[in-house]
Amino acid sequence: HIDDMRDEASKAQEWLDTWYARGEKTRNENWKWAANKEWDQFLEIERKIKGDMTVEEWTEWMDEQWKDADIRCKKHWGFNGHDSEESNRVHRYSRNVIWEIRKMAD
């Protein structure tokens, strides 16, 4: 997932660097921010996996991570939510991955 988010951030930056996507600047900045946020999120999950949390602590922490990701994927920015489409997609993907990781503790 970390690699996926690096790729998403790179794709968003490519769009930011094109002259014809100037009208989409906010959308692409949101997309890049979301990818970087989720990249950091999964680095933190990786650190926690290597840490010394109990299964119960891990489960509670992961539940909170899922809730936070669920909130992040439901934003509505710009006209008809246009500016949040790509960032919401990235956050939804991450939310789903967090859920799959979380289920491993069950």
Side-chain angles (χ1 to χ4, degrees):
H1 184 72
I2 292 170
D3 291 340
D4 293 338
M5 291 303 99
R6 184 175 40 238
D7 292 345
E8 286 289 340
S10 178
K11 282 190 271 185
Q13 185 62 53
E14 287 173 15
W15 277 103
L16 284 166
D17 291 342
T18 62
W19 63 268
Y20 52 85
R22 303 238 176 191
E24 305 283 312
K25 183 178 180 188
T26 301
R27 179 183 184 191
N28 296 331
E29 285 174 342
N30 291 342
W31 178 15
K32 184 177 178 185
W33 177 86
N36 286 329
K37 168 68 177 149
E38 298 305 333
W39 185 354
D40 291 342
Q41 174 74 44
F42 280 88
L43 290 173
E44 178 66 16
I45 289 172
E46 187 176 65
R47 281 191 291 275
K48 294 283 186 177
I49 288 171
K50 295 175 182 177
D52 58 356
M53 296 175 89
T54 67
V55 173
E56 183 178 329
E57 290 169 334
W58 164 258
T59 302
E60 288 175 15
W61 186 78
M62 284 300 287
D63 285 344
E64 287 300 313
Q65 303 314 299
W66 185 89
K67 289 174 190 173
D68 291 345
D70 189 52
I71 291 168
R72 286 192 305 269
C73 76
K74 295 177 180 174
K75 300 297 182 189
H76 193 80
W77 300 320
F79 182 72
N80 284 333
H82 178 74
D83 290 343
S84 54
E85 286 176 353
E86 289 299 318
S87 57
N88 283 348
R89 180 184 58 77
V90 167
H91 289 308
R92 272 192 308 275
Y93 174 73
S94 294
R95 179 197 61 191
N96 296 341
V97 171
I98 288 169
W99 182 250
E100 292 301 317
I101 294 169
R102 161 51 185 94
K103 286 189 330 186
M104 287 187 232
D106 290 340

